[in-house]
Amino acid sequence: MRFERIRLANFKPYADADLRLDPGVSVIHGPNGSGKSSLLESCFFALYGSAALDDANLEDVITKGAEDAEVELWFTHAGGEYRVERRIRRTDDRARTARCVMETPGGTVEGARDVERRITDMLRMDADAFVNCAYVRQGEVNKLIHATPSERQDMIDDLLQLGKLEDYRERASEARLGVKDVLSGQREVAENLRDQIAEKEERNLHAKSNDLESERNEVAAEIANLEENLDTARETYQGAVEVLDRHERKREELADLDEEIADLRDEIAATEREREELADRIDGLESERESRREDRADLLAESDRLGEGDPSGDGEAAVDAALTDLRAEDDRLRARIERLNLEVQDRTGDADRLESRAEELDAEAEERRETAADLAGSIEDDEATLDERRERLESIEAEIADLEATFEDAPVDRGDAESHLADLRQRRDDLADEAGDLRGDLRALEERIEEAEELLAAGKCPECGQPVEDSPHVDRVDEDRERARDLKSDVEDLEADVEDLEDRIDEAEDLLETERELESRESTREDVRELVAETESSLAADRERLAELREEADRLTEEAEEHREKAAERRDAAEALREGIADSNAERSTLRERIERVERIGELTDRIDELGDEVDGLQERRESKAELNDERRDRLADKRERRETLREEFDEDTIQEAREEKNRAEQYIEKAETKLDDLGERREELDERIGGVRNEIGELEDLRDRLSAVEERREALEDLHDEAEELQETYGELRAELRRKNVETLERMLNETFELVYENDSYAHIELDGDYELTVYQKDGEPLDPDQLSGGERALFNLSLRCAIYRLLAEGIEGTAPLPPLILDEPTVFLDSGHVSRLVELVDHMRDLGVEQIVVVTHDEELVGAADSVIRVEKDPTTNRSSVERSGMDLVAGD
């Protein structure tokens, strides 16, 4: 495996970085705290994500002030090209992985867990194994030395995949124990089944079943015989019942005939009474018809007296014709009255509307007059306001003229006051700065003069401190005094100029204020002019509106008077129409009396005809009832004849014999059915017992089958238990053998590497036993614990052990295996210059052994000189952002 390129965005101190990594030895060089280790951590983080952060969290990888961070790593592995991208985003005070993608030759892997799982499978190591093998982090140089033998064993076993064999052995052990538990259970099941089978065999179930079958057959035969006798008894019973039923039906028929004969005699008598009642009703109707004829004759006589004639002379049609004519005349009068009423309503409604409109017009006229009065008052107020605004406008124009006069004697024109003030202030500030500089020079010169006078008073040169006798520098003091006087004079002149400028600045500020006041007054003048124009325009419109309102009020008053005159005309017309309605109502009243008289004559004629029809109907009903009674008398004779015949057929001896046979049959059936029920219950009981015995026989067979199956499964489990035990022992022996070979190889590589990097001659060799216990032997054969080595020796010992482990993994027991780059973070800590040179030799040695890529972080110049490529890391102290340079070419800007 080889890193090709790493790109960072807002990762720790790197705002933006993009770095290419070449094969061979790459040294990352820079001052402490510049971010060298962060580059290595970014590669580690790209591979394993949060698992690479130890106790840190995702928020720690995001640059302070940024919302997200990105890491991209390109690498090659086993001939394939890969790219991993991780993006961390801070949301709601918490950082999370927003994107994690790995592009592989076989497709894309998405999701942090899936990517980490794929990396672990490719490299055959998780994050912890990566740190223990390929990545020697700063501060962890003594990690393997300080580890206990068991911890060291776990680390190395995991790297060499021996932990999987232990997992397999433990799984085989768990499987063996599981099989053993199941086997014990099956043995208990088999023993329980044998006990149940023995119990059932002792009960002799087949013989018991045969006895029950025999008894059941006997009961069934007895039931069949009893059922045959019972059928015969039921037939005898049914015959007797039929004889008794026939005689009972004849008795009932005789009773019915007696009742029917009595009913017919009653009906004949009742019908005769109804015929008499009908005769009485016919007499009454004849009397009423004669009375109605007399009433009609009276009405006809009155009609003749009034000259109306006889409307019923030609019968019902004549009456209907007369009524039709009279009702038509009545409808005509009613329509005329309704029409006149509508006209009255129209005239009255028009009068009401005209009067109402007249009142509305009067109200509108009054409203116009009130509005005109209000408007007249408003016009007077506006005229007064207009005079005030004109006076104010004249006042403002006078003020503007006074302010404009100010600029006649001013040093600048209107509009230049602000720039003039700025120029004066700038000149004042320049002179003040110049005066300040001269004061500083004056103070320095005065101090030098004072020191020189003190030295002269002591008889020494003011410049070199030597005796002043014959010194060429004595005259310099007089020159300084002269220079001090000139400077003081210049300062006083500048201060006077500054005071003069202050006065001019005050004048310029007054002038600027005047200019602003003038602009304000001119703006106010324009506003007042607009108000005057608006007021004049409003007054003209109001005066015109006042004249219109007065004219409208007069017009509305005249129109109201016209509406009242029209209303009076409409009411007169309505009164004339009411008189016509009264005449029509009187005429219609007379007509209604004639209609009622004709209707009464028609009603009497109809009633007379109805009474005749009713008399005819009643006579027909009386004759019909006579015919009905004749028919009933014939039926009565037939029923009397049938009654005599039945009385002759009735035999009491036959009835008595049938009753006795019925009683005997009933008694036998009752006894036989009771016994049959008892036999049926006995048969059911025997069936249930036979079924129970058969079920037990079936259960016995099932128990035997289950016992056979359990025995077969027990034998299989015993074989499986033996195989699991054998497999457990095989995994343990294989792991021990592989560990022994690895320990021997690792011990050899460790000694070779330590001899290469350690320049002294104090130690004979290093021993690594089967329990991964490390021991250093001195030349005199005395053993030494690695913790007893000096700091530099422990560092070399750890590097030697790490490189030996890396070589063991690279060369493998069964051949080469693809490994990640060898990464050393600050390996020179605790090393003197001599051992740094040996470290360079170790790096060259690892490269000669075929390690494709080695990345070293260091600040040691000797390691820098041994690198194939050098990467320089710097940090900007102002932004606290890191950047990288390689081979003199700037690759990344810090922000």
Side-chain angles (χ1 to χ4, degrees), residues 754-755 758 760-766 776-780 782 784 788-790 793:
F754 191 69
E755 290 175 1
Y758 190 57
N760 297 329
D761 194 23
S762 302
Y763 306 108
H765 69 282
I766 300 172
V776 180
Y777 286 92
Q778 303 182 75
K779 288 295 185 178
D780 57 4
E782 188 69 23
L784 195 66
Q788 295 178 285
L789 300 176
S790 66
E793 289 174 340

mmCIF file with all atom_site columns, all heavy atoms in Angstrom, residues 754-755 758 760-766 776-780 782 784 788-790 793:
data_model
loop_
_atom_site.group_PDB
_atom_site.id
_atom_site.type_symbol
_atom_site.label_atom_id
_atom_site.label_alt_id
_atom_site.label_comp_id
_atom_site.label_asym_id
_atom_site.label_entity_id
_atom_site.label_seq_id
_atom_site.pdbx_PDB_ins_code
_atom_site.Cartn_x
_atom_site.Cartn_y
_atom_site.Cartn_z
_atom_site.occupancy
_atom_site.B_iso_or_equiv
_atom_site.pdbx_formal_charge
_atom_site.auth_seq_id
_atom_site.auth_comp_id
_atom_site.auth_asym_id
_atom_site.auth_atom_id
_atom_site.pdbx_PDB_model_num
ATOM 1   N N   . PHE A 1 754 ? 18.215 -4.382  16.002 1.00 0.00 ? 754 PHE A N   1
ATOM 2   C CA  . PHE A 1 754 ? 18.831 -3.681  17.134 1.00 0.00 ? 754 PHE A CA  1
ATOM 3   C C   . PHE A 1 754 ? 20.348 -3.560  16.943 1.00 0.00 ? 754 PHE A C   1
ATOM 4   O O   . PHE A 1 754 ? 20.936 -2.534  17.275 1.00 0.00 ? 754 PHE A O   1
ATOM 5   C CB  . PHE A 1 754 ? 18.503 -4.434  18.435 1.00 0.00 ? 754 PHE A CB  1
ATOM 6   C CG  . PHE A 1 754 ? 18.861 -3.661  19.670 1.00 0.00 ? 754 PHE A CG  1
ATOM 7   C CD1 . PHE A 1 754 ? 18.162 -2.523  20.025 1.00 0.00 ? 754 PHE A CD1 1
ATOM 8   C CD2 . PHE A 1 754 ? 19.918 -4.067  20.480 1.00 0.00 ? 754 PHE A CD2 1
ATOM 9   C CE1 . PHE A 1 754 ? 18.491 -1.812  21.167 1.00 0.00 ? 754 PHE A CE1 1
ATOM 10  C CE2 . PHE A 1 754 ? 20.259 -3.350  21.617 1.00 0.00 ? 754 PHE A CE2 1
ATOM 11  C CZ  . PHE A 1 754 ? 19.534 -2.216  21.963 1.00 0.00 ? 754 PHE A CZ  1
ATOM 12  N N   . GLU A 1 755 ? 20.973 -4.603  16.403 1.00 0.00 ? 755 GLU A N   1
ATOM 13  C CA  . GLU A 1 755 ? 22.417 -4.519  16.128 1.00 0.00 ? 755 GLU A CA  1
ATOM 14  C C   . GLU A 1 755 ? 22.716 -3.444  15.092 1.00 0.00 ? 755 GLU A C   1
ATOM 15  O O   . GLU A 1 755 ? 23.768 -2.801  15.139 1.00 0.00 ? 755 GLU A O   1
ATOM 16  C CB  . GLU A 1 755 ? 22.916 -5.872  15.621 1.00 0.00 ? 755 GLU A CB  1
ATOM 17  C CG  . GLU A 1 755 ? 22.933 -6.968  16.694 1.00 0.00 ? 755 GLU A CG  1
ATOM 18  C CD  . GLU A 1 755 ? 23.310 -8.316  16.123 1.00 0.00 ? 755 GLU A CD  1
ATOM 19  O OE1 . GLU A 1 755 ? 23.582 -8.378  14.899 1.00 0.00 ? 755 GLU A OE1 1
ATOM 20  O OE2 . GLU A 1 755 ? 23.313 -9.308  16.881 1.00 0.00 ? 755 GLU A OE2 1
ATOM 21  N N   . TYR A 1 758 ? 22.043 0.137   17.133 1.00 0.00 ? 758 TYR A N   1
ATOM 22  C CA  . TYR A 1 758 ? 22.715 0.429   18.408 1.00 0.00 ? 758 TYR A CA  1
ATOM 23  C C   . TYR A 1 758 ? 24.225 0.374   18.191 1.00 0.00 ? 758 TYR A C   1
ATOM 24  O O   . TYR A 1 758 ? 24.780 -0.670  17.819 1.00 0.00 ? 758 TYR A O   1
ATOM 25  C CB  . TYR A 1 758 ? 22.282 -0.596  19.471 1.00 0.00 ? 758 TYR A CB  1
ATOM 26  C CG  . TYR A 1 758 ? 22.737 -0.239  20.871 1.00 0.00 ? 758 TYR A CG  1
ATOM 27  C CD1 . TYR A 1 758 ? 22.376 0.995   21.424 1.00 0.00 ? 758 TYR A CD1 1
ATOM 28  C CD2 . TYR A 1 758 ? 23.514 -1.116  21.620 1.00 0.00 ? 758 TYR A CD2 1
ATOM 29  C CE1 . TYR A 1 758 ? 22.776 1.320   22.697 1.00 0.00 ? 758 TYR A CE1 1
ATOM 30  C CE2 . TYR A 1 758 ? 23.910 -0.797  22.901 1.00 0.00 ? 758 TYR A CE2 1
ATOM 31  C CZ  . TYR A 1 758 ? 23.543 0.436   23.446 1.00 0.00 ? 758 TYR A CZ  1
ATOM 32  O OH  . TYR A 1 758 ? 23.935 0.766   24.712 1.00 0.00 ? 758 TYR A OH  1
ATOM 33  N N   . ASN A 1 760 ? 26.744 1.019   20.439 1.00 0.00 ? 760 ASN A N   1
ATOM 34  C CA  . ASN A 1 760 ? 27.599 0.558   21.551 1.00 0.00 ? 760 ASN A CA  1
ATOM 35  C C   . ASN A 1 760 ? 27.752 -0.962  21.507 1.00 0.00 ? 760 ASN A C   1
ATOM 36  O O   . ASN A 1 760 ? 27.101 -1.658  20.709 1.00 0.00 ? 760 ASN A O   1
ATOM 37  C CB  . ASN A 1 760 ? 27.014 1.000   22.883 1.00 0.00 ? 760 ASN A CB  1
ATOM 38  C CG  . ASN A 1 760 ? 26.965 2.523   22.992 1.00 0.00 ? 760 ASN A CG  1
ATOM 39  O OD1 . ASN A 1 760 ? 27.813 3.197   22.425 1.00 0.00 ? 760 ASN A OD1 1
ATOM 40  N ND2 . ASN A 1 760 ? 25.964 3.039   23.688 1.00 0.00 ? 760 ASN A ND2 1
ATOM 41  N N   . ASP A 1 761 ? 28.583 -1.487  22.407 1.00 0.00 ? 761 ASP A N   1
ATOM 42  C CA  . ASP A 1 761 ? 28.862 -2.932  22.423 1.00 0.00 ? 761 ASP A CA  1
ATOM 43  C C   . ASP A 1 761 ? 28.558 -3.501  23.813 1.00 0.00 ? 761 ASP A C   1
ATOM 44  O O   . ASP A 1 761 ? 29.290 -4.307  24.328 1.00 0.00 ? 761 ASP A O   1
ATOM 45  C CB  . ASP A 1 761 ? 30.333 -3.184  22.048 1.00 0.00 ? 761 ASP A CB  1
ATOM 46  C CG  . ASP A 1 761 ? 30.563 -4.656  21.718 1.00 0.00 ? 761 ASP A CG  1
ATOM 47  O OD1 . ASP A 1 761 ? 29.564 -5.337  21.363 1.00 0.00 ? 761 ASP A OD1 1
ATOM 48  O OD2 . ASP A 1 761 ? 31.709 -5.111  21.823 1.00 0.00 ? 761 ASP A OD2 1
ATOM 49  N N   . SER A 1 762 ? 27.394 -3.006  24.390 1.00 0.00 ? 762 SER A N   1
ATOM 50  C CA  . SER A 1 762 ? 27.108 -3.355  25.771 1.00 0.00 ? 762 SER A CA  1
ATOM 51  C C   . SER A 1 762 ? 26.273 -4.619  25.893 1.00 0.00 ? 762 SER A C   1
ATOM 52  O O   . SER A 1 762 ? 26.239 -5.243  26.950 1.00 0.00 ? 762 SER A O   1
ATOM 53  C CB  . SER A 1 762 ? 26.358 -2.207  26.456 1.00 0.00 ? 762 SER A CB  1
ATOM 54  O OG  . SER A 1 762 ? 27.126 -1.016  26.384 1.00 0.00 ? 762 SER A OG  1
ATOM 55  N N   . TYR A 1 763 ? 25.527 -4.995  24.858 1.00 0.00 ? 763 TYR A N   1
ATOM 56  C CA  . TYR A 1 763 ? 24.552 -6.069  24.972 1.00 0.00 ? 763 TYR A CA  1
ATOM 57  C C   . TYR A 1 763 ? 24.872 -7.185  23.986 1.00 0.00 ? 763 TYR A C   1
ATOM 58  O O   . TYR A 1 763 ? 25.308 -6.956  22.852 1.00 0.00 ? 763 TYR A O   1
ATOM 59  C CB  . TYR A 1 763 ? 23.140 -5.539  24.733 1.00 0.00 ? 763 TYR A CB  1
ATOM 60  C CG  . TYR A 1 763 ? 22.800 -4.371  25.637 1.00 0.00 ? 763 TYR A CG  1
ATOM 61  C CD1 . TYR A 1 763 ? 22.699 -3.079  25.139 1.00 0.00 ? 763 TYR A CD1 1
ATOM 62  C CD2 . TYR A 1 763 ? 22.623 -4.578  27.007 1.00 0.00 ? 763 TYR A CD2 1
ATOM 63  C CE1 . TYR A 1 763 ? 22.415 -2.019  25.964 1.00 0.00 ? 763 TYR A CE1 1
ATOM 64  C CE2 . TYR A 1 763 ? 22.323 -3.514  27.839 1.00 0.00 ? 763 TYR A CE2 1
ATOM 65  C CZ  . TYR A 1 763 ? 22.224 -2.230  27.329 1.00 0.00 ? 763 TYR A CZ  1
ATOM 66  O OH  . TYR A 1 763 ? 21.944 -1.182  28.153 1.00 0.00 ? 763 TYR A OH  1
ATOM 67  N N   . ALA A 1 764 ? 24.648 -8.443  24.448 1.00 0.00 ? 764 ALA A N   1
ATOM 68  C CA  . ALA A 1 764 ? 24.940 -9.602  23.602 1.00 0.00 ? 764 ALA A CA  1
ATOM 69  C C   . ALA A 1 764 ? 23.786 -9.876  22.646 1.00 0.00 ? 764 ALA A C   1
ATOM 70  O O   . ALA A 1 764 ? 23.974 -9.973  21.430 1.00 0.00 ? 764 ALA A O   1
ATOM 71  C CB  . ALA A 1 764 ? 25.199 -10.826 24.487 1.00 0.00 ? 764 ALA A CB  1
ATOM 72  N N   . HIS A 1 765 ? 22.554 -10.029 23.165 1.00 0.00 ? 765 HIS A N   1
ATOM 73  C CA  . HIS A 1 765 ? 21.402 -10.284 22.308 1.00 0.00 ? 765 HIS A CA  1
ATOM 74  C C   . HIS A 1 765 ? 20.130 -10.022 23.113 1.00 0.00 ? 765 HIS A C   1
ATOM 75  O O   . HIS A 1 765 ? 20.163 -9.797  24.318 1.00 0.00 ? 765 HIS A O   1
ATOM 76  C CB  . HIS A 1 765 ? 21.409 -11.725 21.777 1.00 0.00 ? 765 HIS A CB  1
ATOM 77  C CG  . HIS A 1 765 ? 21.160 -12.746 22.853 1.00 0.00 ? 765 HIS A CG  1
ATOM 78  N ND1 . HIS A 1 765 ? 22.141 -13.155 23.748 1.00 0.00 ? 765 HIS A ND1 1
ATOM 79  C CD2 . HIS A 1 765 ? 20.024 -13.444 23.178 1.00 0.00 ? 765 HIS A CD2 1
ATOM 80  C CE1 . HIS A 1 765 ? 21.632 -14.048 24.568 1.00 0.00 ? 765 HIS A CE1 1
ATOM 81  N NE2 . HIS A 1 765 ? 20.357 -14.246 24.249 1.00 0.00 ? 765 HIS A NE2 1
ATOM 82  N N   . ILE A 1 766 ? 18.995 -10.107 22.377 1.00 0.00 ? 766 ILE A N   1
ATOM 83  C CA  . ILE A 1 766 ? 17.665 -9.908  22.984 1.00 0.00 ? 766 ILE A CA  1
ATOM 84  C C   . ILE A 1 766 ? 16.910 -11.217 22.841 1.00 0.00 ? 766 ILE A C   1
ATOM 85  O O   . ILE A 1 766 ? 16.928 -11.866 21.790 1.00 0.00 ? 766 ILE A O   1
ATOM 86  C CB  . ILE A 1 766 ? 16.896 -8.777  22.269 1.00 0.00 ? 766 ILE A CB  1
ATOM 87  C CG1 . ILE A 1 766 ? 17.675 -7.466  22.367 1.00 0.00 ? 766 ILE A CG1 1
ATOM 88  C CG2 . ILE A 1 766 ? 15.497 -8.612  22.866 1.00 0.00 ? 766 ILE A CG2 1
ATOM 89  C CD1 . ILE A 1 766 ? 17.073 -6.345  21.530 1.00 0.00 ? 766 ILE A CD1 1
ATOM 90  N N   . VAL A 1 776 ? 16.801 -8.437  27.724 1.00 0.00 ? 776 VAL A N   1
ATOM 91  C CA  . VAL A 1 776 ? 18.056 -8.001  27.086 1.00 0.00 ? 776 VAL A CA  1
ATOM 92  C C   . VAL A 1 776 ? 19.224 -8.609  27.883 1.00 0.00 ? 776 VAL A C   1
ATOM 93  O O   . VAL A 1 776 ? 19.284 -8.465  29.117 1.00 0.00 ? 776 VAL A O   1
ATOM 94  C CB  . VAL A 1 776 ? 18.155 -6.465  27.064 1.00 0.00 ? 776 VAL A CB  1
ATOM 95  C CG1 . VAL A 1 776 ? 19.457 -6.039  26.401 1.00 0.00 ? 776 VAL A CG1 1
ATOM 96  C CG2 . VAL A 1 776 ? 16.949 -5.870  26.349 1.00 0.00 ? 776 VAL A CG2 1
ATOM 97  N N   . TYR A 1 777 ? 20.145 -9.296  27.189 1.00 0.00 ? 777 TYR A N   1
ATOM 98  C CA  . TYR A 1 777 ? 21.304 -9.922  27.836 1.00 0.00 ? 777 TYR A CA  1
ATOM 99  C C   . TYR A 1 777 ? 22.550 -9.081  27.574 1.00 0.00 ? 777 TYR A C   1
ATOM 100 O O   . TYR A 1 777 ? 22.835 -8.713  26.426 1.00 0.00 ? 777 TYR A O   1
ATOM 101 C CB  . TYR A 1 777 ? 21.502 -11.343 27.312 1.00 0.00 ? 777 TYR A CB  1
ATOM 102 C CG  . TYR A 1 777 ? 20.477 -12.314 27.863 1.00 0.00 ? 777 TYR A CG  1
ATOM 103 C CD1 . TYR A 1 777 ? 19.296 -12.562 27.196 1.00 0.00 ? 777 TYR A CD1 1
ATOM 104 C CD2 . TYR A 1 777 ? 20.724 -12.949 29.081 1.00 0.00 ? 777 TYR A CD2 1
ATOM 105 C CE1 . TYR A 1 777 ? 18.356 -13.440 27.708 1.00 0.00 ? 777 TYR A CE1 1
ATOM 106 C CE2 . TYR A 1 777 ? 19.787 -13.838 29.597 1.00 0.00 ? 777 TYR A CE2 1
ATOM 107 C CZ  . TYR A 1 777 ? 18.616 -14.080 28.916 1.00 0.00 ? 777 TYR A CZ  1
ATOM 108 O OH  . TYR A 1 777 ? 17.673 -14.950 29.432 1.00 0.00 ? 777 TYR A OH  1
ATOM 109 N N   . GLN A 1 778 ? 23.275 -8.766  28.684 1.00 0.00 ? 778 GLN A N   1
ATOM 110 C CA  . GLN A 1 778 ? 24.518 -8.019  28.565 1.00 0.00 ? 778 GLN A CA  1
ATOM 111 C C   . GLN A 1 778 ? 25.648 -8.967  28.127 1.00 0.00 ? 778 GLN A C   1
ATOM 112 O O   . GLN A 1 778 ? 25.474 -10.184 28.014 1.00 0.00 ? 778 GLN A O   1
ATOM 113 C CB  . GLN A 1 778 ? 24.853 -7.369  29.911 1.00 0.00 ? 778 GLN A CB  1
ATOM 114 C CG  . GLN A 1 778 ? 23.735 -6.448  30.418 1.00 0.00 ? 778 GLN A CG  1
ATOM 115 C CD  . GLN A 1 778 ? 24.084 -5.774  31.720 1.00 0.00 ? 778 GLN A CD  1
ATOM 116 O OE1 . GLN A 1 778 ? 24.887 -4.843  31.716 1.00 0.00 ? 778 GLN A OE1 1
ATOM 117 N NE2 . GLN A 1 778 ? 23.525 -6.284  32.807 1.00 0.00 ? 778 GLN A NE2 1
ATOM 118 N N   . LYS A 1 779 ? 26.791 -8.365  27.852 1.00 0.00 ? 779 LYS A N   1
ATOM 119 C CA  . LYS A 1 779 ? 27.926 -9.162  27.373 1.00 0.00 ? 779 LYS A CA  1
ATOM 120 C C   . LYS A 1 779 ? 28.344 -10.232 28.388 1.00 0.00 ? 779 LYS A C   1
ATOM 121 O O   . LYS A 1 779 ? 28.827 -11.309 28.018 1.00 0.00 ? 779 LYS A O   1
ATOM 122 C CB  . LYS A 1 779 ? 29.119 -8.237  27.087 1.00 0.00 ? 779 LYS A CB  1
ATOM 123 C CG  . LYS A 1 779 ? 28.941 -7.370  25.836 1.00 0.00 ? 779 LYS A CG  1
ATOM 124 C CD  . LYS A 1 779 ? 28.888 -8.224  24.579 1.00 0.00 ? 779 LYS A CD  1
ATOM 125 C CE  . LYS A 1 779 ? 28.835 -7.330  23.339 1.00 0.00 ? 779 LYS A CE  1
ATOM 126 N NZ  . LYS A 1 779 ? 28.828 -8.141  22.106 1.00 0.00 ? 779 LYS A NZ  1
ATOM 127 N N   . ASP A 1 780 ? 28.139 -9.925  29.674 1.00 0.00 ? 780 ASP A N   1
ATOM 128 C CA  . ASP A 1 780 ? 28.546 -10.886 30.697 1.00 0.00 ? 780 ASP A CA  1
ATOM 129 C C   . ASP A 1 780 ? 27.455 -11.932 30.966 1.00 0.00 ? 780 ASP A C   1
ATOM 130 O O   . ASP A 1 780 ? 27.558 -12.716 31.900 1.00 0.00 ? 780 ASP A O   1
ATOM 131 C CB  . ASP A 1 780 ? 28.889 -10.156 32.008 1.00 0.00 ? 780 ASP A CB  1
ATOM 132 C CG  . ASP A 1 780 ? 27.730 -9.314  32.496 1.00 0.00 ? 780 ASP A CG  1
ATOM 133 O OD1 . ASP A 1 780 ? 26.634 -9.355  31.860 1.00 0.00 ? 780 ASP A OD1 1
ATOM 134 O OD2 . ASP A 1 780 ? 27.896 -8.597  33.509 1.00 0.00 ? 780 ASP A OD2 1
ATOM 135 N N   . GLU A 1 782 ? 24.383 -11.358 31.906 1.00 0.00 ? 782 GLU A N   1
ATOM 136 C CA  . GLU A 1 782 ? 23.429 -10.913 32.916 1.00 0.00 ? 782 GLU A CA  1
ATOM 137 C C   . GLU A 1 782 ? 22.141 -10.432 32.210 1.00 0.00 ? 782 GLU A C   1
ATOM 138 O O   . GLU A 1 782 ? 22.187 -9.585  31.324 1.00 0.00 ? 782 GLU A O   1
ATOM 139 C CB  . GLU A 1 782 ? 24.032 -9.782  33.739 1.00 0.00 ? 782 GLU A CB  1
ATOM 140 C CG  . GLU A 1 782 ? 23.188 -9.375  34.946 1.00 0.00 ? 782 GLU A CG  1
ATOM 141 C CD  . GLU A 1 782 ? 23.172 -10.461 36.015 1.00 0.00 ? 782 GLU A CD  1
ATOM 142 O OE1 . GLU A 1 782 ? 24.108 -11.302 36.048 1.00 0.00 ? 782 GLU A OE1 1
ATOM 143 O OE2 . GLU A 1 782 ? 22.194 -10.469 36.782 1.00 0.00 ? 782 GLU A OE2 1
ATOM 144 N N   . LEU A 1 784 ? 18.597 -8.409  31.569 1.00 0.00 ? 784 LEU A N   1
ATOM 145 C CA  . LEU A 1 784 ? 18.207 -7.036  31.884 1.00 0.00 ? 784 LEU A CA  1
ATOM 146 C C   . LEU A 1 784 ? 16.798 -6.800  31.325 1.00 0.00 ? 784 LEU A C   1
ATOM 147 O O   . LEU A 1 784 ? 16.500 -7.140  30.173 1.00 0.00 ? 784 LEU A O   1
ATOM 148 C CB  . LEU A 1 784 ? 19.194 -6.046  31.251 1.00 0.00 ? 784 LEU A CB  1
ATOM 149 C CG  . LEU A 1 784 ? 19.145 -4.600  31.754 1.00 0.00 ? 784 LEU A CG  1
ATOM 150 C CD1 . LEU A 1 784 ? 19.577 -4.531  33.223 1.00 0.00 ? 784 LEU A CD1 1
ATOM 151 C CD2 . LEU A 1 784 ? 20.072 -3.731  30.900 1.00 0.00 ? 784 LEU A CD2 1
ATOM 152 N N   . GLN A 1 788 ? 14.914 -1.138  32.134 1.00 0.00 ? 788 GLN A N   1
ATOM 153 C CA  . GLN A 1 788 ? 16.131 -0.682  32.783 1.00 0.00 ? 788 GLN A CA  1
ATOM 154 C C   . GLN A 1 788 ? 17.088 -0.007  31.799 1.00 0.00 ? 788 GLN A C   1
ATOM 155 O O   . GLN A 1 788 ? 18.119 0.497   32.203 1.00 0.00 ? 788 GLN A O   1
ATOM 156 C CB  . GLN A 1 788 ? 16.836 -1.881  33.440 1.00 0.00 ? 788 GLN A CB  1
ATOM 157 C CG  . GLN A 1 788 ? 16.021 -2.498  34.587 1.00 0.00 ? 788 GLN A CG  1
ATOM 158 C CD  . GLN A 1 788 ? 16.715 -3.711  35.175 1.00 0.00 ? 788 GLN A CD  1
ATOM 159 O OE1 . GLN A 1 788 ? 16.723 -4.780  34.578 1.00 0.00 ? 788 GLN A OE1 1
ATOM 160 N NE2 . GLN A 1 788 ? 17.310 -3.528  36.358 1.00 0.00 ? 788 GLN A NE2 1
ATOM 161 N N   . LEU A 1 789 ? 16.755 -0.010  30.505 1.00 0.00 ? 789 LEU A N   1
ATOM 162 C CA  . LEU A 1 789 ? 17.588 0.679   29.517 1.00 0.00 ? 789 LEU A CA  1
ATOM 163 C C   . LEU A 1 789 ? 17.425 2.173   29.677 1.00 0.00 ? 789 LEU A C   1
ATOM 164 O O   . LEU A 1 789 ? 16.445 2.675   30.233 1.00 0.00 ? 789 LEU A O   1
ATOM 165 C CB  . LEU A 1 789 ? 17.179 0.255   28.106 1.00 0.00 ? 789 LEU A CB  1
ATOM 166 C CG  . LEU A 1 789 ? 17.310 -1.253  27.770 1.00 0.00 ? 789 LEU A CG  1
ATOM 167 C CD1 . LEU A 1 789 ? 16.769 -1.512  26.375 1.00 0.00 ? 789 LEU A CD1 1
ATOM 168 C CD2 . LEU A 1 789 ? 18.759 -1.705  27.865 1.00 0.00 ? 789 LEU A CD2 1
ATOM 169 N N   . SER A 1 790 ? 18.397 2.919   29.154 1.00 0.00 ? 790 SER A N   1
ATOM 170 C CA  . SER A 1 790 ? 18.314 4.379   29.194 1.00 0.00 ? 790 SER A CA  1
ATOM 171 C C   . SER A 1 790 ? 17.213 4.835   28.234 1.00 0.00 ? 790 SER A C   1
ATOM 172 O O   . SER A 1 790 ? 16.688 4.044   27.444 1.00 0.00 ? 790 SER A O   1
ATOM 173 C CB  . SER A 1 790 ? 19.661 4.983   28.779 1.00 0.00 ? 790 SER A CB  1
ATOM 174 O OG  . SER A 1 790 ? 19.933 4.693   27.414 1.00 0.00 ? 790 SER A OG  1
ATOM 175 N N   . GLU A 1 793 ? 18.213 4.264   24.689 1.00 0.00 ? 793 GLU A N   1
ATOM 176 C CA  . GLU A 1 793 ? 18.257 2.833   24.394 1.00 0.00 ? 793 GLU A CA  1
ATOM 177 C C   . GLU A 1 793 ? 16.846 2.260   24.279 1.00 0.00 ? 793 GLU A C   1
ATOM 178 O O   . GLU A 1 793 ? 16.573 1.420   23.405 1.00 0.00 ? 793 GLU A O   1
ATOM 179 C CB  . GLU A 1 793 ? 19.037 2.120   25.498 1.00 0.00 ? 793 GLU A CB  1
ATOM 180 C CG  . GLU A 1 793 ? 20.532 2.406   25.455 1.00 0.00 ? 793 GLU A CG  1
ATOM 181 C CD  . GLU A 1 793 ? 21.260 1.812   26.651 1.00 0.00 ? 793 GLU A CD  1
ATOM 182 O OE1 . GLU A 1 793 ? 20.599 1.533   27.676 1.00 0.00 ? 793 GLU A OE1 1
ATOM 183 O OE2 . GLU A 1 793 ? 22.482 1.624   26.553 1.00 0.00 ? 793 GLU A OE2 1
#
